[in-house]
Amino acid sequence: DETVDAVYVPLPAALHAEWTIASALAGKHVLTEKPFTSNAAAAQDVADRTSGADVVVMEAYHTHYHPAVARLKEIIASGEIGTVTSAKATFHNPHPPSRDIRWNLALGGGTLLDLGYYPVRMLTELFGEEPEIASAWAAMHGDIDRHVKAELAFPGGVRGQVDSSMWAPRMLGASLRIVGTEGSIAMPFPYHPQFRKIIRVRGRDGKRVERVSARSTYSFQLEAFRDTVRGTRENETDVAAAVFNDTATTEIYTAA
């Protein structure tokens, strides 16, 4: 259809690869929901088959586009909390077992792809290196992971922890805590910063609370997609970044 410029793919994770490829090869810019695909092999297939398409293929990792994430990177880079030694990111949100797609293995269900994706992506974005999966654990409901924990060892020395669940004793909450040799950073609900709107910093110069934008991550993302399509902005959540993250989640599943 010549009147269609772009396609948004909000389907279950296991269908993302097929329809992202189809859209790109039809000459349409594509905004594909997170997780980009349900495993590393599928993500690499998208990368291989869309590499020659003259279109934007962007993963809808909306958190990245909120200014709060850039601010976290600035605080870390400033050295205010010293050298980062560890970081923990959590996401717990109840979704009782049901016919929901989250509980359908064939459709790419499971807490790691739905919720755990965010803690994993947050840590890999902040510390910028491919981590080794030091350990991983999963509690299952049938063939679906309902609760997942993992320890990540980043080459730069940061020890990362991720903890996510959609059906577990701890039912609701999301947090980020970064610990350095001279202080720490804490952020409640870091994946949607517009909800709590704060970053707590304890560093060599004392304690403070920074306020962040109350504007939605999705608004920032949509503007970024528009501007990338127009050629006025780089694609910051491109296929390469998606392959990187899908590789990490696949390795966590393998370890667990």
Side-chain angles (χ1 to χ4, degrees):
D1 187 335
E2 295 296 329
T3 67
V4 174
D5 300 307
V7 175
Y8 171 54
V9 180
L11 301 167
L15 302 178
H16 288 179
E18 175 185 358
W19 292 102
T20 297
I21 291 168
S23 300
L25 295 186
K28 314 302 179 185
H29 303 291
V30 195
L31 180 64
T32 302
E33 253 312 327
K34 48 66 56 181
F36 190 64
T37 60
S38 54
N39 57 68
Q44 188 59 55
D45 187 41
V46 176
D48 294 342
R49 296 182 62 188
T50 64
S51 61
D54 187 23
V55 295
V56 170
V57 180
M58 177 184 285
E59 182 181 18
Y61 173 47
H62 57 97
T63 303
H64 168 88
Y65 293 100
H66 196 283
V69 176
R71 181 57 187 147
L72 286 172
K73 294 178 181 179
E74 289 175 354
I75 297 170
I76 293 169
S78 74
E80 181 178 356
I81 67 167
T83 301
V84 175
T85 56
S86 65
K88 182 175 182 179
T90 71
F91 200 176
H92 304 274
N93 196 26
H95 295 287
S98 66
R99 296 181 65 186
D100 187 284
I101 61 171
R102 295 175 179 87
W103 295 96
N104 188 321
L105 182 64
L107 293 180
T111 192
L112 183 59
L113 292 183
D114 185 50
L115 299 173
Y117 165 96
Y118 286 101
V120 174
R121 184 70 179 256
M122 177 65 78
L123 295 188
T124 56
E125 282 219 335
L126 290 178
F127 304 113
E129 300 168 296
E130 186 171 350
E132 174 189 346
I133 311 305
S135 67
W137 167 91
M140 308 295 288
H141 178 82
D143 55 8
I144 292 292
D145 53 298
R146 60 177 180 81
H147 187 185
V148 173
K149 297 180 182 181
E151 293 191 4
L152 315 179
F154 288 90
V158 176
R159 300 290 294 187
Q161 288 182 297
V162 297
D163 186 350
S164 67
S165 69
M166 60 184 183
W167 197 242
R170 183 179 180 183
M171 292 301 295
L172 185 63
S175 64
L176 172 67
R177 179 172 171 78
I178 302 166
V179 177
T181 54
E182 298 187 53
S184 62
I185 303 168
M187 190 173 182
F189 229 86
Y191 320 114
H192 299 79
Q194 65 269 23
F195 290 167
R196 295 291 295 276
K197 301 181 284 293
I198 60 170
I199 300 173
R200 300 184 187 277
V201 183
R202 179 178 62 82
R204 58 170 65 118
D205 298 323
K207 300 178 181 179
R208 71 175 185 280
V209 176
E210 292 193 8
R211 306 291 295 183
V212 302
S213 175
R215 192 161 181 257
S216 171
T217 51
Y218 298 103
S219 296
F220 286 112
Q221 175 183 261
L222 186 58
E223 290 177 349
F225 182 64
R226 174 201 65 195
D227 294 344
T228 303
V229 167
R230 289 177 173 175
T232 60
R233 180 170 182 165
E234 292 295 318
N235 187 351
E236 297 170 19
T237 57
D238 61 7
V239 175
V243 170
F244 182 91
N245 197 73
D246 282 7
T247 298
T249 55
T250 296
E251 289 176 351
I252 290 172
Y253 269 133
T254 301

